[in-house]
Amino acid sequence: MELNCDRYLVVACDTSTDMLACAVAWWTPAAGAHEHARIEVLASADHLCRRHANVELVNTVKTVLEDVGKTMDDVDAVLVGRGPGSFTGVRIGISTAKGLARGANIPLHGVSTLDATAWRAWAAGVRGSVGVAADAMRGEVYPALYRLDDEGAHRQFERERVVKAQVAVEEWSALPQAGELQLTGDGLVRYGARFEAAGLTAHAVSREQWWPTGEGLLLAAAATMGSVPLDRDGDPALVLPIYTRLSDAEENERRRLGLAESAHVDTTGVADELAGRHLQLRPMGAADAEAASDLEVRCFAGAGHTPWTPTMFLEELAEGVAAPRSWWVAHDDGELIGIAGGMVVDCDVQILDVAVDASYRRQGIARRLLAHVSYDAQMLGCKTASLEVEADNAAARALYEALGFAEAGVRRGYYGAGRDAIVMSATLPLVLPVDVASPEPTAAAKRVWPAPVPERTEAERAAIARAQPVLAIESSCDETAVAIIAADGTMLANQVSTQIDFHARFGGVVPEIASRKHVEVIVGVVDAALEEAAGSLELASGPLMPRELAAVGVTQGPGLVGALVVGVAFAKGFAFAAGAPLICVNHLEGHLYANLLTTPDLKPPFIFTLVSGGHTMLVHVRAWGDYEVLGETLDDAVGEAFDKVAKALGLGYPGGPIISRLAETGNPHAIEFPRALNRKGDYRFSLSGLKTAVMLYIEQENKAGRPLHLPDLAASFEAAVFDVQYKKAKAALHATGAKEYCIGGGVAANPHLREMMIRKLSRQGIRVTVPPQGACTDNAAMIAVVAREKYLRGEFSGFDIDADPNMTL
């Protein structure tokens, strides 16, 4: 889109507070570098909508545009409030705004919600010293001081922060201008009486003005971007929330380490959006000691370096070591292929070891391992990193230099006669390469935005028209996934960004972190899918554009509510801006439909088993859309049980692939574990008893001083779980007379479960379908299959839908 050089049509929105702020305005850039842009508000629809922002935002944008006779085709840029505020509220606003901007291929710019609140007061005629106390819940506020004069609102602080409400009261009461300070912000609803009791004029600004407005957002942006054309630096992928604090899981880890609370945070953890599912990184556990030592021998035997022994690794991992350590391992399908570790000494992390299997080198694995070690070091207060490398090891030196290390000294004969060590040091954080083809953690690359609109040939336009591409988004847990499917069922694109590396440090999925990472990567994953689809359709002129999509599908539920909200909000904004119908998909139905990817002629009636991290159920599929749930788990899901057992054994997260790998060489009859609810006609599942039995077995063996044989334990545990799955499926097939059986969910990727079901049920004349390995764990391909079916039937949703974390099949 070519922007009008005289003025731009701008949509502004914010949902960081209980106020849904929304306005459309003309924006005329300022003539001088330090002047404000001129704002002409055409329409606004600011209103309080507690907990309904995701339901109302897109339709509110639609309404303000209709009020002035405009559509998204006329909009030149979007402004969005970045917070700080309600974490969920901020994510709804930013995700929707990202969808609007990406769908319309226009710039997106972020604005501080605190600034917008101050500018609202300015627009109402308030002048003098103003304190904004925005509600941060938990007895806290986001405090911000401003000076308001006829020129505008001027910040008297450097960065947004969060403090206890009483701390803000005490700080502001001690100010020289305390008697003249005028207060505003929605934090006064809860804590206004505290400020008044301290002699602060809490009600100098009328209550109606305590929330941000669309006009306030526009004025705040006009003051900071006055002479900058809105078509610059507006990549929606780069606009992120202002959180001011880490997630609870990260803060708990800091407290455990005796560190102070964080003061400010924009993103969460390492930007690992390009990590592949097959290659998984996690903190080293005691069970890795043997494999790590074997890797050391393979990498360094005869190279002048004495390989670490299993005992040495165990000593590094022992509790109570003098200096904090961070050790990470890389696995490929359960095989340990890389390690890295460091020790913290006086704000410096000394890299003790880096080793990668020879067949996996030059794939960025060492970089990713060091990125995690250095992140841990930063959590422990480190400012620098140091290491030694052999002077003749050119490849390693090049790697370290690329990460920001520089030569700091030489240790003569460190590796033996004539073999010197180069001492290298770096300032944290390490420099991670920006490379879209890299499989390692990387920051988002700066790019030209808006994206150039391809000039299609007649043949390309015809190919797109025939394909009727439907884009689908999946964000129900810790995978941000996007797929594009053609009307004939051809999968044109399938992209998955996993968060496994990051959640591994906590031993499971942290919902708050999952939500944050979805916001960070969703635009990039959509871009990758549009690029891949262009290749599938042989569009030489450029990537598929949002306006060329036939429909947009999204997982509505079930799942983690915060994660679902991001996908739903983005999809609604994206579909609305692209002029495409919206399709809502049940995540569980997606796992069911994934079987069509391998068996297109699969037709009901059949029996379906869903086994995943969050669900275990047996379903009689009488017809597409007609499902009878015969039984569900009463406690733990299968995937959850695998994770808990793996965690108890110190094997890391996720547990399923690790236990499966161990079970390959184990004896499934070595340990007799219980099979719960194994009664005829009972299709329910229960795994808590089995999990408890495994824990008791581990405790008994440890007390007896007997070493655990992990392969036997893993194989016996698997057998106990899978025996029940088979027997209940067999009984359901017999009871219903169905001759077809299929399976789905993350645990359906387990090769032993797949092989057992196919072998045993096929003998009884049952055709068994299993989805592709890549379509078992959460992915958008399965969502796309359902979305395609709904598209062909014309089953569309309105823009007032919301995420449904408790959706049932």
Side-chain angles (χ1 to χ4, degrees):
M1 176 184 293
E2 291 188 10
L3 304 187
N4 187 315
C5 61
D6 297 321
R7 63 180 186 175
Y8 308 125
L9 187 68
V10 181
V11 167
C13 60
D14 186 298
T15 57
S16 304
T17 69
D18 287 346
M19 177 69 71
L20 191 162
C22 185
V24 60
W26 286 118
W27 169 297
T28 303
H34 301 292
E35 299 179 21
H36 296 187
R38 185 164 60 85
I39 301 299
E40 180 188 352
V41 177
L42 303 177
S44 61
D46 307 314
H47 62 281
L48 291 171
C49 68
R50 182 172 175 79
R51 301 187 183 279
H52 289 90
N54 206 20
V55 173
E56 300 181 17
L57 181 52
V58 171
N59 281 335
T60 301
V61 171
K62 181 173 181 286
T63 296
V64 294
L65 287 171
E66 289 174 345
D67 286 347
V68 295
K70 302 292 185 180
T71 69
M72 280 302 297
D73 290 340
D74 303 307
V75 178
D76 299 312
V78 178
L79 293 176
V80 65
R82 296 177 56 214
S86 158
F87 288 171
T88 299
V90 173
R91 285 193 284 265
I92 289 170
I94 288 185
S95 299
T96 302
K98 286 187 177 217
L100 290 170
R102 187 61 190 90
N105 193 37
I106 57 177
L108 173 66
H109 299 278
V111 184
S112 166
T113 301
L114 299 179
D115 289 352
T117 305
W119 275 94
R120 182 189 188 178
W122 179 88
V126 177
R127 298 294 183 269
S129 295
V130 172
V132 176
D135 190 5
M137 296 179 280
R138 303 180 179 180
E140 297 174 326
V141 295
Y142 303 111
L145 291 172
Y146 294 84
R147 177 175 56 82
L148 273 57
D149 57 25
D150 290 342
E151 300 300 317
H154 310 278
R155 280 189 173 207
Q156 306 298 295
F157 64 97
E158 292 185 2
R159 304 190 78 177
E160 292 85 350
R161 64 191 182 112
V162 62
V163 299
K164 293 296 183 183
Q166 190 58 37
V167 171
V169 170
E170 293 168 0
E171 288 181 354
W172 288 357
S173 297
L175 293 172
Q177 71 271 33
E180 303 172 359
L181 191 64
Q182 304 168 82
L183 303 189
T184 186
D186 63 336
L188 299 181
V189 175
R190 294 177 189 264
Y191 313 114
R194 296 192 188 187
F195 289 95
E196 284 190 294
L200 296 166
T201 54
H203 298 299
V205 179
S206 66
R207 182 185 178 103
E208 291 73 23
Q209 297 168 7
W210 289 353
W211 289 269
T213 60
E215 180 186 24
L217 285 169
L218 289 156
L219 290 170
T224 56
M225 302 169 53
S227 61
V228 178
L230 292 189
D231 58 345
R232 296 182 188 172
D233 300 325
D235 187 345
L238 304 183
V239 177
L240 296 173
I242 300 172
Y243 290 117
T244 74
R245 60 188 171 203
L246 298 169
S247 66
D248 286 347
E250 292 169 296
E251 290 290 11
N252 289 337
E253 185 172 354
R254 291 179 65 88
R255 282 193 288 271
R256 181 180 63 81
L257 297 169
L259 303 175
E261 290 189 4
S262 58
H264 187 92
V265 60
D266 287 325
T267 59
T268 293
V270 180
D272 54 2
E273 59 267 27
L274 297 180
R277 277 206 63 88
H278 68 290
L279 181 66
Q280 297 173 10
L281 277 70
R282 60 173 174 79
M284 181 183 286
D288 297 311
E290 292 282 353
S293 180
D294 290 343
L295 176 64
E296 276 273 304
V297 172
R298 297 199 303 274
C299 291
F300 299 119
H305 167 83
T306 303
W308 289 52
T309 65
T311 300
M312 293 168 68
F313 280 114
L314 290 172
E315 289 173 350
E316 286 290 304
L317 301 172
E319 293 185 8
V321 288
R325 262 69 162 180
S326 171
W327 282 90
W328 281 76
V329 297
H331 278 260
D332 186 8
D333 289 334
E335 179 184 358
L336 190 148
I337 50 89
I339 59 172
M343 174 178 65
V344 174
V345 179
D346 295 333
C347 296
D348 178 77
V349 58
Q350 298 178 4
I351 305 300
L352 301 175
D353 197 11
V354 181
V356 176
D357 188 274
S359 59
Y360 287 85
R361 291 173 189 165
R362 297 187 178 278
Q363 297 181 30
I365 295 171
R367 288 189 183 95
R368 290 179 59 195
L369 287 165
L370 286 171
H372 285 286
V373 172
S374 67
Y375 175 78
D376 285 347
Q378 287 178 266
M379 291 278 288
L380 291 162
C382 288
K383 305 296 183 184
T384 60
S386 59
L387 53 81
E388 292 94 14
V389 59
E390 189 169 355
D392 294 337
N393 192 339
R397 291 179 64 179
L399 164 64
Y400 299 139
E401 287 171 0
L403 291 171
F405 284 88
E407 184 173 336
V410 178
R411 292 183 176 174
R412 303 295 181 188
Y414 186 78
Y415 292 107
R419 301 176 65 182
D420 299 339
I422 303 297
V423 180
M424 305 185 78
S425 63
T427 300
L428 297 178
L430 298 180
V431 177
L432 298 177
V434 177
D435 177 5
V436 296
S438 172
E440 66 216 39
T442 165
K446 187 173 181 179
R447 57 182 177 168
V448 175
W449 190 262
V453 178
E455 295 184 9
R456 302 289 191 213
T457 64
E458 186 174 338
E460 288 178 330
R461 288 194 294 271
I464 295 170
R466 286 194 301 272
Q468 301 177 65
V470 175
L471 180 143
I473 297 169
E474 154 62 22
S475 69
S476 65
C477 191
D478 62 336
E479 315 287 5
T480 312
V482 178
I484 301 177
I485 193 171
D488 65 1
T490 302
M491 197 60 63
L492 304 175
N494 187 20
Q495 296 287 325
V496 180
S497 173
T498 182
Q499 304 171 12
I500 285 178
D501 285 4
F502 194 82
H503 294 286
R505 74 179 69 241
F506 302 106
V509 176
V510 180
E512 172 62 20
I513 291 173
S515 303
R516 295 186 182 198
K517 300 302 285 184
H518 286 309
V519 176
E520 291 176 30
V521 307
I522 193 165
V523 172
V525 183
V526 167
D527 288 345
L530 293 170
E531 288 274 6
E532 184 183 351
S536 300
L537 293 171
E538 300 182 346
L539 306 179
S541 56
L544 195 65
M545 299 298 286
R547 277 282 178 186
E548 295 170 324
L549 295 168
V552 175
V554 64
T555 299
Q556 185 180 12
L560 300 176
V561 61
L564 289 166
V565 159
V566 173
V568 169
F570 179 90
K572 291 197 297 181
F574 186 79
F576 172 66
L582 178 71
I583 300 170
C584 290
V585 176
N586 184 317
H587 178 81
L588 304 180
E589 194 170 25
H591 280 302
L592 170 58
Y593 271 72
N595 287 275
L596 292 175
L597 295 171
T598 50
T599 310
D601 64 341
L602 176 65
K603 294 179 181 179
F606 57 83
I607 295 297
F608 169 62
T609 296
L610 175 60
V611 277
S612 68
H615 300 89
T616 299
M617 60 175 61
L618 192 65
V619 182
H620 180 204
V621 180
R622 295 179 291 214
W624 295 116
D626 181 7
Y627 312 121
E628 178 189 5
V629 177
L630 301 176
E632 298 182 76
T633 181
L634 300 177
D635 36 63
D636 292 344
V638 171
E640 183 182 7
F642 271 82
D643 289 340
K644 289 179 178 178
V645 168
K647 185 175 182 179
L649 293 169
L651 299 175
Y653 170 86
I658 302 170
I659 289 178
S660 172
R661 183 83 174 187
L662 286 169
E664 289 181 2
T665 57
N667 177 8
H669 307 292
I671 308 165
E672 188 61 36
F673 288 129
R675 276 71 166 160
L677 298 179
N678 206 15
R679 300 185 295 271
K680 184 177 181 180
D682 190 344
Y683 299 116
R684 298 172 301 166
F685 302 90
S686 175
L687 290 164
S688 63
L690 171 59
K691 180 190 65 180
T692 301
V694 173
M695 304 301 177
L696 288 173
Y697 176 81
I698 295 171
E699 183 180 344
Q700 290 168 0
E701 294 301 291
N702 288 337
K703 284 183 177 179
R706 291 188 292 267
L708 292 172
H709 191 270
L710 292 179
D712 283 354
L713 193 156
S716 299
F717 169 71
E718 267 197 356
V721 175
F722 296 161
D723 280 355
V724 174
Q725 298 297 324
Y726 163 70
K727 289 176 180 177
K728 291 185 184 294
K730 176 184 175 183
L733 286 162
H734 183 267
T736 61
K739 297 298 180 182
E740 297 257 8
Y741 172 80
C742 61
I743 195 168
V747 183
N750 186 293
H752 309 132
L753 176 62
R754 294 160 75 96
E755 185 276 333
M756 181 189 74
M757 289 298 195
I758 292 172
R759 173 172 47 83
K760 291 189 172 183
L761 292 177
S762 295
R763 292 174 181 169
Q764 301 164 43
I766 304 297
R767 186 174 76 155
V768 179
T769 295
V770 294
Q773 287 274 355
C776 292
T777 52
D778 293 346
N779 65 93
M782 67 185 193
I783 304 303
V785 174
V786 182
R788 165 186 171 267
E789 294 295 324
K790 290 193 167 189
Y791 167 70
L792 295 175
R793 296 195 298 264
E795 296 180 14
F796 305 137
S797 300
F799 294 117
D800 59 349
I801 63 99
D802 200 356
D804 184 354
N806 300 311
M807 183 177 279
T808 57
L809 187 62

